[in-house]
């Protein structure tokens, strides 16, 4: 398949930011804060890539797995991974609970707000990568810029939203949540030049390619996200702030201080 530049979609969020540089132009004065920038493809591709820009904590939430999603008529569940690009001092992400909690107690905590203290807020910094499987109770904290690579699903069950006037999905969320500590790891990756696998999960893999040189896509589909610098994909020029969908055999050539992510479904 020919490499294709994906459509960029800005999504305004109350918890978003107006300072998006150096990844994207800042929001003009008076504009609404942008929380997410999506890269969209036609149809229902396996993955969805986003940038997130946070000024406040996102809701405490959980996603179903494939089997649970199909029960409610959705094509697939939602595993996701985060690559942290920038983090203000003290930035955190909540992953799982501090200890195992019975579901009735967890529901009560979601209703009275004490779930905010039950979730395990972990410090994160630039270079960290996290794989969050479906069923993981989680929340992304304030002061972060990250790339999220996820199964292409918008099925999110909010358990708690800090009093914001948005719908919660307690029964659905509690039915799929792992009400226990997160057993995965937050990895700090000191990536040099070359091609390094930074995430290898059940549903997706992410490689980080840095520096000059050329490489070939080795999977039937790959999402190529240019974080910094420039690249060509089978001769087509790609710039920072873009994501391209490429096929097996596509030659990716990097120049200068190129930093890109290559994401594959599994």
């Amino acid at each position: 398949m020919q490499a294709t530049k994906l459509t960029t979609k800005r999504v305004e969020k109350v918890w978003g930011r107006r300072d998006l540089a150096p990844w994207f132009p800042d929001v003009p004065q008076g504009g609404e804060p942008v929380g997410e920038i999506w890269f969209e493809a036609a149809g229902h591709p396996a993955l969805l890539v986003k940038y997130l820009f946070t000024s406040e904590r996102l809701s405490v939430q959980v996603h179903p797995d494939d089997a649970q999603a199909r029960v409610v008529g959705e094509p697939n569940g939602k595993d996701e991974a985060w690559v942290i690009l920038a983090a203000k001092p003290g930035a955190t992400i909540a992953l799982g609970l501090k200890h195992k909690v019975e579901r009735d107690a967890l529901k009560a905590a979601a209703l009275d707000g004490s779930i905010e203290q039950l979730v395990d807020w972990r410090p994160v910094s630039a270079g960290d990568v996290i794989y969050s499987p479906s069923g993981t109770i989680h929340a992304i904290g304030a002061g972060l810029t990250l790339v999220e690579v996820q199964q292409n699903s918008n099925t999110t069950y909010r358990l708690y939203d800090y009093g914001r006037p948005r719908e919660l999905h307690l029964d659905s969320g509690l039915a799929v949540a792992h009400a226990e500590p997160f057993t995965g790891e937050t990895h700090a990756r000191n990536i040099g030049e070359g091609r390094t696998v930074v995430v290898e999960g059940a549903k997706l893999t992410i490689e980080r390619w840095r520096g000059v040189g050329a490489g070939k896509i080795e999977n039937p589909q790959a999402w190529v996200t240019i974080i910094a610098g420039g690249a060509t994909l089978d001769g087509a020029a790609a710039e920072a702030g873009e994501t391209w969908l490429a096929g097996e055999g596509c030659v990716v050539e990097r120049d200068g201080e190129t930093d890109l992510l290559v994401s594959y479904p599994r």
Side-chain angles (χ1 to χ4, degrees):
M1 65 177 286
Q2 183 177 3
T4 305
K5 179 182 171 183
L6 299 184
T7 301
T8 302
K9 175 183 176 182
R10 288 192 171 205
V11 182
E12 297 172 350
K13 296 285 187 179
V14 66
W15 45 260
R17 300 205 312 261
R18 295 179 176 85
D19 57 317
L20 311 182
W23 298 278
F24 299 93
D26 288 342
V27 176
Q29 187 172 4
E32 294 297 318
V34 169
E36 301 177 347
I37 293 181
W38 295 23
F39 298 96
E40 297 184 313
H44 187 82
L47 300 181
L48 175 63
V49 176
K50 306 174 182 177
Y51 279 73
L52 270 68
F53 301 88
T54 71
S55 64
E56 301 175 7
R57 286 178 170 177
L58 278 64
S59 62
V60 178
Q61 57 187 240
V62 67
H63 310 295
D65 64 21
D66 288 353
Q68 292 162 339
R70 288 171 188 142
V71 168
V72 295
E74 297 295 330
N76 54 264
K78 185 176 175 183
D79 281 23
E80 57 192 348
W82 305 303
V83 179
I84 310 298
L85 302 183
K88 292 186 176 180
T92 57
I93 287 180
L95 292 163
L97 304 180
K98 293 176 181 175
H99 54 82
K100 190 171 183 177
V101 177
E102 296 298 324
R103 296 192 184 276
D104 286 348
L106 185 58
K107 184 173 184 177
L111 290 170
D112 68 19
S114 59
I115 192 173
E116 196 173 350
Q117 287 73 51
L118 278 180
V119 294
D120 186 8
W121 293 97
R122 303 183 182 200
V124 290
S125 57
D128 286 354
V129 292
I130 302 162
Y131 188 82
S132 177
S134 55
T136 303
I137 298 171
H138 63 276
I140 296 173
L144 288 169
T145 301
L146 58 88
V147 173
E148 176 177 288
V149 182
Q150 60 166 85
Q151 286 183 275
N152 190 6
S153 168
N154 201 31
T155 305
T156 295
Y157 299 138
R158 292 191 201 96
L159 302 178
Y160 176 69
D161 203 24
Y162 317 97
R164 297 180 187 129
R166 295 196 295 175
E167 181 183 4
L168 300 180
H169 316 92
L170 291 181
D171 291 337
S172 298
L174 292 170
V176 304
H178 300 156
E180 58 192 14
F182 177 71
T183 56
E185 297 181 7
T186 301
H187 300 284
R189 302 285 189 177
N190 297 315
I191 305 299
E193 288 200 1
R195 178 173 177 170
T196 306
V197 176
V198 295
V199 170
E200 192 164 16
K203 296 295 181 179
L204 60 94
T205 296
I206 304 175
E207 297 176 354
R208 194 160 187 174
W209 297 15
R210 278 185 164 171
V212 297
K216 277 190 178 181
I217 300 299
E218 298 171 354
N219 285 65
Q221 281 191 319
W223 280 251
V224 182
T225 302
I226 296 87
I227 297 170
T232 61
L233 283 73
D234 280 345
E239 301 178 351
E242 297 175 352
T243 292
W244 289 61
L245 186 59
E248 189 169 9
C250 175
V251 176
V252 180
E253 297 186 55
R254 296 161 284 158
D255 59 70
E257 298 300 316
T258 302
D259 185 2
L260 56 83
L261 302 176
V262 180
S263 306
Y264 312 105
R266 297 185 68 177

